[in-house]
Amino acid sequence: MAVDSAGGVEKPRFEALMPSEMSGGRPQFRKVPVPQHRFAPLKKAWMDIYTPVYEHMKIDIRMNLKARRVELKTRQDTPDVSNLQKCADFVHAFMLGFDIADAVALLRLDDLYVDSFEIKDVKTLRGEHLSRAIGRLSGKGGKTKYAIENSTRTRIVIADTKIHILGSFVNIKVARDSLCSLILGSPAGKVYSKLRAVSARLAERIQKQTNQSPSVAAGRPATQKPKSSSRQWSGSDETFLSTTNSLSDLSISSEAMDELSYRRRRRRAHTADEAAAVLRKAWCRLRLSARDPSRVPPWDAVVLTAASPEQAALYDRQLARARRLGRFPPSTAAIAVPDPDAARIGSGAATLHAVASLARHLLAQASKEEIAELLPEAGESCDADDIPLGSVVEFMAKKHILLLHAGGDSKRVPWANPMGKAYLPLPYLAGDIPDGPVPLLFDHILAISSSARQAFENQGGIFIMTGDVLPCFDASDLVLPDDSACIVTVPTTLDVAANHGVVVASKDGTDGENYSLCLVDNLLQKPTVRELVEGQAIRDDGRALLDTGIISARDDFSFLHFGTSAEVLDHLAGSYSGLVGRRHMSSIPETTACDIAATAAILSSNISSGVSVGEDSLVYDSSLSGRVRIGSQSIVVGVNIHETHGNKSEIISTSSYFTLPDRHCLWEVPLTNSVGRVMVYCGLHDNPKVSIKRDGTFCGKPWRNVLEHLKVHETDLWGSTNEDKCLWNANLFPVMSLPEMLNVGMWLMGSISNPDGKVASLWKKSQRISLEELHRSIDYHQLCMDSSKRQADLAANIAKACMTYGLLGRNLFQLCDEMLQNENSCLEELLSLCPSHGDQYSGVLPESRRYQVKMDLLRASGDLSTAAIVEQKVWASITSETASAIKYGSEELSSNSKSSCNGNLHPKKAIVELPVRVDFVGGWSDTPPWSLERPGCVLNMAIRLEGNLPVGAVIETTVDHAGVLLEDDAGRNVYIDDLTSIASPFKEDDSFRLVKSALIVTGILNHEKLSDIGLNIRTWANVPRGSGLGTSSILAAAVVKGLFQLIEGDESDDNVARAVLVVEQVMGTGGGWQDQIGGLYPGIKCTQSYPGQPLRLQVFPLLASPQLIQELERRLLVVFTGQVRLAHQVLQKVVTRYLRRDSLLISSIKRLAELAKIGREALMNGEIDELGGIMSEAWRLHQELDPFCSNKLVDELFAFADPYCCGYKLVGAGGGGFALMLAKNLNSAKELREALENSRFDVKVYNWNVAMTP
């Protein structure tokens, strides 16, 4: 027996038992059954199985033919008893279908497992649904399965409805999640997007565990603007480990998963939430560029290419719509350019033709001074046609141009041909504007491109995009190389690359922090895998670089392609379904009168009782009534189906349903020359370009089967032509009456039979049209008129319902804008429905909202004089509602009766000094009428400036006079002996209206002793005018508090804050409660308000540690920008939008209130950096509320401070005044202060400290 000696103590050491010494020396067995279908493979691979088991693992193995199983047994020389189980798992894996080369890893590694499940464990599927699920799991040629295997380093076997996965525990989980998503219906593209992020994180963790060097991207220097040749391209460059077939590095610890969770917040993952954040930021920038072009420069021109003059005319109308909706400012030129002679000239030639057309357009619009600058020798007689080409090029080089390729025929999305794929309905973020038109793909493309516009800065350039792709990426920080053309690429899997263009990049290039610049070696169009390999297009990570159709930009982004009908539905029902507004600007009956699936998207449509719409279907710009059934995953666009009662046709039965089967598309198109309308239909997955010879389909069935079932001949559809016979050129769709078209359509789609042959005979005799002919025969003018009328009627019906039922919860201002697109608007009828008084809606309809609705209707109808009178009533009602909510009735305040209950007015002197406040987040949620109707929450802080309390008032009684003497710190004074003259409304230039309003609200003017003694009131505010520090409200609080002290009234902070709220309404400036709360209550506090009678305010002081206060005082810079702002000018615009029930504004203010609570938690936990992020988000939301809350100087100031800061914002309502800049650390704070003092900005950094005592 061996002995170990440790610490002078001998301990016995026992050798490990051999397997032969266990269980009394009896051998151990394992038996693995052999399925019938694995006998032949087992016989063929027997020696490959036998050799590692017998020779390397020292386990006996034999095949029991009688029992049909493989038997395993330990031997005397078996080194480890676990070898037996490993061999059993190895053989079992082979029986499940794994290759020997993969299964043998079970013998070599300890942390590999086999996990099995069935499709029915995830979702119960039968028939074709099950077949399609299996097809999604495998993909064409197994590409989807291979992509999951390579990304997760697993091996997968799909055997009928059973799925087996071989790999480590963590990797099996990732692969299983991907497979389950495919089973549940997610498209492969969405699964690939998730896998890319997950595989990258797994690879980086494995790299760390194996002590390899870190990712190349981690050590890259800061991005510099490179100079390069015109052959450069730019694409994202996320660094991944190379894909490997080895299973030796599969295990990953739970600690790694924790780090992956942390890294997930830092890496860009393509999720719906992040896409929503990107789109919202892009939309905010788009709105800013339209409202304030001086701050956010817009495109100088937006150009769309079109296939024909008719399509160009349609696009011109859509561009006019975009301008009306505020997508770009009046200064932006917007034109649609058709291909010359309606010929297909390709995207390259179309680009040149569009630029030349734009140049002629801009020169025609140019002023004489601009033309004279290009042709100075011609003097005043110069003409645009005389300008030489070189001068035109120089002129165009200074312009910023967005060029969108939207022409051509959409063969793979035929129902989009009439409108153009760029104008597909895409209701992402539609909930932000529920009373506006449905967002289109074009609208989202404009939003994304508005950020890219900023990358060009002051240098001209052209940004080219394609109309059927939405690139979800934040282009605001792009850096474009000088004097070069760039195309953006994104790495993608090979199956996606095989259906698009692929860029072959050279191996050498310039690396940036999250991108690389390389020369383009080649461009491949829809290459096969062999072509990708031979063209060296496959990167080290197994992916290829996708040509996105975008030129002059770069970044990593999700690629939303709308190339097929199925892809359109995938983007509405897949990973981005959370962004989709599924009921938008539509008339839908109650749920007991129709059957509409919750996942169906009903957009700009009128649905009547009796209609059924299946799951994941899209109904857009349609009117459906009668017995109509729309199947699941179907698309209906521009269709008008009405009941056919009284129809005498023998073909149509009014008692029957019109049925559109599952996975079908239906659209209706007006034809030129008053020929009529045609109803068109096809299968969701039909590709009109695929011919009969290549297994083309119609309505999801092969053409051979369709012809046989319908009993029609090829000559009936294609005549005797020798060209490829496909759906695109099939003379299939009859032009006849609506009932007949519906009945024939159901016959062609296979929904009804035709036993007597009448339908077939009717079809053969009719005038028929193909998709190809249809594309040239669309009456675009009538199409636009029909769509505009339908949407105007919908808006009118919604507005009528809103007015009739009295709650006025919709945005009537937006609805009126839509109604005015119809010549016969019903504004007069709506005005007659306006409630004349609010008694019948007391408690649910504020008077201010009622007046605002009436004012909007009057303005829409052109009665501006009456609208101006009603506008005054709007603001008067807000004042009355505010006073009522805090128990300061306006009637009581304006009474002339002498009050005997206001307390005793003794000779006395009151001195009140208060700090100013800075608000971190939550502003606007404190402002009436929001705070009177909805909860509010604000996080702010009371501060001293330069060691002093900057705001104060001195109020004293005097016997020298019987009136009121008012003085301020500017040396102005006024004596008022007639106290009855102090009454609202006040003039805007009245310097003492604040003090006068305080005298009214406190009731001291009605005091009986005021006839014997007088008052001297002196006020001061030692801060710049328009500071944004709440100076006017805090000064009002000082005056009110001093007056209450004189009359021995309730001078509590809560009562004073309520009184000041009314003071601001009496002044006519408006305003909320946060300013006076910020000055009256010391320190940092989070204040919440709750609507009711009366308005309830709760102040929650933040019990901050001295360390937190000290760090905040050292890191937070309070900077005066030098820009003067007036809060009431911004406030009136925001209040008006709220009274109109602007959904975007409402959601923004809700988020601000939510951020205030989050900020309080962050400060309580000492997380000052998180507070910086909250401040930045709050600043973005403030700009969403009103774009003029900032200006160009403020934008430049924040851009200058950005490298030093983790957050910044203007205080108060914005527009100028003071800014808060929260530095990343103490050193950054010191550096920022020095940089500001030495910068070109005329700003002042104030010394401050938290006012911790009252």
Side-chain angles (χ1 to χ4, degrees), residues 897-914:
S897 62
K898 301 294 182 182
S899 174
S900 59
C901 58
N902 283 336
N904 297 318
L905 182 60
H906 298 293
K908 188 183 296 185
K909 181 178 182 180
I911 303 176
V912 181
E913 292 183 294
L914 294 174

Side-chain angles (χ1 to χ4, degrees), residues 1081-1152:
Y1081 289 84
I1084 307 173
K1085 56 271 180 188
C1086 182
T1087 309
Q1088 298 185 37
S1089 66
Y1090 305 93
Q1093 297 286 345
L1095 174 72
R1096 292 188 298 120
L1097 296 174
Q1098 282 189 303
V1099 181
F1100 299 95
L1102 186 71
L1103 303 179
S1105 65
Q1107 294 84 356
L1108 175 65
I1109 295 296
Q1110 183 180 14
E1111 182 178 0
L1112 192 61
E1113 289 177 343
R1114 296 175 66 184
R1115 287 178 58 182
L1116 183 67
L1117 273 65
V1118 178
V1119 182
F1120 181 60
T1121 64
Q1123 303 290 298
V1124 177
R1125 31 77 65 211
L1126 296 176
H1128 74 276
Q1129 295 176 353
V1130 179
L1131 183 142
Q1132 289 180 356
K1133 299 175 185 177
V1134 174
V1135 169
T1136 298
R1137 287 180 61 191
Y1138 173 70
L1139 290 176
R1140 287 172 173 166
R1141 296 302 186 258
D1142 187 313
S1143 296
L1144 187 61
L1145 177 136
I1146 290 173
S1147 62
S1148 297
I1149 298 181
K1150 283 183 177 179
R1151 177 60 178 167
L1152 286 169

Side-chain angles (χ1 to χ4, degrees), residues 502-581:
V502 172
V503 175
V504 182
S506 66
K507 302 301 181 183
D508 300 326
T510 302
D511 289 335
E513 185 176 353
N514 59 359
Y515 71 94
S516 66
L517 287 171
C518 306
L519 293 175
V520 175
D521 283 346
N522 198 4
L523 291 172
L524 305 177
Q525 184 63 26
K526 296 185 179 179
T528 63
V529 175
R530 178 182 296 276
E531 290 171 339
L532 289 171
V533 173
E534 293 176 351
Q536 298 182 349
I538 301 179
R539 293 166 25 124
D540 293 339
D541 60 1
R543 298 185 291 170
L545 294 173
L546 186 70
D547 180 5
T548 62
I550 304 174
I551 299 180
S552 290
R554 59 174 174 274
D555 210 338
D556 183 25
F557 58 87
S558 55
F559 178 77
L560 301 187
H561 186 228
F562 295 82
T564 66
S565 300
E567 284 182 333
V568 174
L569 288 187
D570 286 344
H571 295 320
L572 296 181
S575 300
Y576 295 89
S577 60
L579 305 180
V580 176

Side-chain angles (χ1 to χ4, degrees), residues 315-331:
Y315 288 174
D316 282 332
R317 294 189 184 96
Q318 292 286 9
L319 289 171
R321 164 197 173 273
R323 195 185 298 278
R324 174 174 61 85
L325 295 175
R327 305 292 191 247
F328 40 76
S331 60

Side-chain angles (χ1 to χ4, degrees), residues 964-1015:
V964 177
L965 176 64
L966 306 179
E967 298 179 78
D968 64 12
D969 52 352
R972 294 170 297 196
N973 63 79
V974 62
Y975 174 71
I976 306 172
D977 56 356
D978 182 9
L979 300 185
T980 59
S981 66
I982 303 178
S984 62
F986 301 104
K987 296 180 180 180
E988 286 195 15
D989 59 354
D990 189 343
S991 303
F992 295 99
R993 58 176 175 164
L994 184 151
V995 180
K996 294 177 181 178
S997 299
L999 291 169
I1000 294 175
V1001 171
T1002 56
I1004 195 172
L1005 294 177
N1006 297 328
H1007 203 287
E1008 56 187 9
K1009 288 190 177 182
L1010 204 59
S1011 58
D1012 301 326
I1013 59 177
L1015 290 176

Side-chain angles (χ1 to χ4, degrees), residues 907 957-962 1012-1014:
T957 58
T958 180
V959 295
D960 296 339
H961 56 79
D1012 301 326
I1013 59 177

Side-chain angles (χ1 to χ4, degrees), residues 14 90 120 126 282 359 482 489 570 584 757 791 889 944 953 1193 1242:
F14 299 99
F90 165 58
K120 68 179 181 180
R126 297 182 180 87
D482 295 330
T489 67
D570 286 344
H584 192 90
Q791 296 191 33
R944 298 171 181 262
L1193 186 143
D1242 185 17

